[in-house]
Amino acid sequence: NYDIIVTSNLNIILSDNTLSISIICTPTNNHLKFILDSLNNGMHVLCEKPLATTENDIKECYSLADNKNLVLFEFTLRGSFINSPENSS
């Protein structure tokens, strides 16, 4: 069993000092704020691609992660990861 929190309220994640990572899968226009808030709260970040809408914003995110010695990783979400009878072959 894993204790996983799924929420649309970033403040719930940021206020939980038992968590060390934030996974961001939201519309791109939210990424910058969510990344910076997570990093500023000492959390590693996995963020769906693209990280932000401008090159300067992306540089700001990586610079903050580097300064805080935190991991910032961009990933691509493709396909369905849901294991259900409908998806079985």
Side-chain angles (χ1 to χ4, degrees):
N1 284 336
Y2 299 97
D3 291 326
I4 298 174
I5 297 171
V6 177
T7 181
S8 61
N9 185 341
L10 183 62
N11 291 326
I12 291 172
I13 302 298
L14 297 176
S15 66
D16 188 335
N17 63 3
T18 66
L19 301 176
S20 60
I21 189 165
S22 177
I23 302 173
I24 301 169
C25 298
T26 64
T28 304
N29 63 328
N30 295 323
H31 289 183
L32 179 64
K33 177 183 179 351
F34 293 172
I35 291 168
L36 296 177
D37 286 350
S38 296
L39 292 170
N40 280 317
N41 279 277
M43 300 181 83
H44 302 287
V45 176
L46 297 180
C47 184
E48 181 181 25
K49 185 178 181 179
L51 285 181
T53 57
T54 70
E55 184 178 350
N56 285 338
D57 289 347
I58 292 168
K59 288 178 180 179
E60 178 183 3
C61 292
Y62 278 111
S63 177
L64 181 59
D66 188 50
N67 289 339
K68 293 190 166 282
N69 200 32
L70 294 168
V71 173
L72 171 57
F73 185 80
E74 178 183 58
F75 70 93
T76 301
L77 185 61
R78 296 198 186 260
S80 173
F81 296 98
I82 299 172
N83 186 9
S84 68
E86 296 84 28
N87 293 336
S88 299
S89 39

